[in-house]
């Protein structure tokens, strides 16, 4: 990002500060006046949390780019459990995004339709323009690819799960790469083991809660 166009930059925690220092040699990474270690502005949502007991466990799926049937991997894994699924995609609604991510938008449309057939009333598709920060406190597990939502979810003590063999690309024709992993934040499995990993998390929920609180201290 061209942070040198701005007066100030904000970093949410020590780990972020260390990562920034590694690239601060690049002039485009340096704001005009200062880079500040302040915390995460979006965390103001934390004060609005109202915890409610839920009869059913809920999983939130929120990917970066919907390609290569990642959503269907999640849907079929969840189908073999008794959990519910929330799905939140990015809107991709600016003129530039509509053109650049037309494959992604079409993939989302198809995947949502198929997911409803697979899970029926156990799945809810969230409005893509809604604020995802409102949902972290309402679910038990986040599944994503390499989206920054895995960092935000730490603020809510919400563990995240991803598949290290999921491909990432912004359309359906370019050569994909494997996701970039960050084990300091997220737990990783493989596609064929996704169902077992979901069940393993819920069977050992208290353990993962302790781990996620330690990870939160490193980032915020």
């Amino acid at each position: 990002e061209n942070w040198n166009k701005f007066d100030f930059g904000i970093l949410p925690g020590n780990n972020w500060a260390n990562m920034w220092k590694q690239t601060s040699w690049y002039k485009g990474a340096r704001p005009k006046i200062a880079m500040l270690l302040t915390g995460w502005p979006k965390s103001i949502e934390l004060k609005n949390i109202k915890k409610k007991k839920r009869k059913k466990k809920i999983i939130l799926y929120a990917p970066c780019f919907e390609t290569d049937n990642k959503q269907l991997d999640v849907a079929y894994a969840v189908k073999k459990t008794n959990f519910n699924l929330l799905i939140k995609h990015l809107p991709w609604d600016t003129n530039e995004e509509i053109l650049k991510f037309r494959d992604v938008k079409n993939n989302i449309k198809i995947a949502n339709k198929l997911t409803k057939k697979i899970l029926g009333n156990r799945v809810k598709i969230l409005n893509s323009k809604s604020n995802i920060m409102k949902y972290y406190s309402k679910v038990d597990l986040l599944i994503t690819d390499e989206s920054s939502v895995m960092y935000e979810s730490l603020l809510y003590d919400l563990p995240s799960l991803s598949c290290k063999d999921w491909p990432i690309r912004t359309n359906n024709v370019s050569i994909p790469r494997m996701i970039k992993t960050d084990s300091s934040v997220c737990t990783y499995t493989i596609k064929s083991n996704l169902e077992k990993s979901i069940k393993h998390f819920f069977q050992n929920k208290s353990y993962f809660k302790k781990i996620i609180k330690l990870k939160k201290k490193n980032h915020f």
Side-chain angles (χ1 to χ4, degrees), residues 11-209:
L11 296 168
N14 291 327
N15 190 60
W16 294 93
N18 291 332
M19 287 191 290
W20 178 79
K21 288 175 183 177
Q22 292 174 24
T23 56
S24 61
W25 56 268
Y26 173 54
K27 65 178 182 179
R30 299 194 296 270
K32 296 174 184 177
I33 299 176
M35 181 63 80
L36 306 175
L37 183 59
T38 65
W40 192 231
K42 289 184 180 181
S43 64
I44 195 170
E45 288 286 343
L46 290 168
K47 70 178 183 179
N48 297 321
I49 291 180
K50 294 180 180 179
K51 292 186 177 181
K52 294 181 180 180
K53 289 186 177 180
R54 297 184 296 273
K55 293 181 179 180
K56 277 229 175 189
K57 301 300 182 184
I58 303 175
I59 296 170
L60 172 63
Y61 172 63
C64 193
F65 301 108
E66 184 53 52
T67 64
D68 301 279
N69 295 318
K70 292 195 290 285
Q71 182 168 314
L72 297 186
D73 291 337
V74 175
Y76 281 117
V78 173
K79 183 180 180 180
K80 297 177 182 178
T81 71
N82 62 346
F83 310 134
N84 288 347
L85 179 66
L86 286 183
I87 296 175
K88 170 69 170 68
H89 288 288
L90 292 166
W92 307 120
D93 57 356
T94 66
N95 290 334
E96 181 183 1
E97 290 172 343
I98 289 171
L99 178 63
K100 183 177 181 180
F101 300 114
R102 58 186 180 273
D103 281 355
V104 175
K105 287 177 68 68
N106 189 55
N107 293 344
I108 291 171
K109 184 178 179 180
I110 295 171
N112 286 347
K113 185 176 181 179
L114 291 174
T115 301
K116 289 178 180 178
K117 287 185 177 181
I118 295 168
L119 292 174
N121 61 6
R122 289 172 54 201
V123 63
K124 181 178 180 181
I125 312 294
L126 300 173
N127 187 323
S128 61
K129 295 182 180 181
S130 61
N131 183 0
I132 194 172
M133 301 293 286
K134 295 179 180 179
Y135 299 101
Y136 293 134
S137 62
K138 299 178 181 179
V139 300
D140 302 282
L141 177 66
L142 168 69
I143 298 180
T144 186
D145 41 25
E146 62 177 32
S147 172
S148 59
V149 296
M150 67 174 66
Y151 294 94
E152 292 177 349
S153 67
L154 287 176
L155 289 166
Y156 296 80
D157 298 330
L158 178 65
S160 56
L161 178 65
S162 186
C163 296
K164 58 186 176 183
D165 56 344
W166 266 342
I168 287 286
R169 52 182 171 174
T170 59
N171 55 59
N172 296 337
V173 294
S174 62
I175 298 174
R177 60 171 174 79
M178 292 296 101
I179 66 170
K180 296 177 182 177
T181 60
D182 187 350
S183 57
S184 72
V185 179
C186 186
T187 299
Y188 293 90
T189 184
I190 56 177
K191 290 187 291 184
S192 61
N193 206 39
L194 183 56
E195 175 203 343
K196 291 182 180 178
S197 296
I198 291 172
K199 290 178 178 177
H200 177 70
F201 164 76
F202 283 102
Q203 290 166 355
N204 300 274
K205 191 173 179 180
S206 59
Y207 167 78
F208 283 103
K209 283 288 185 181

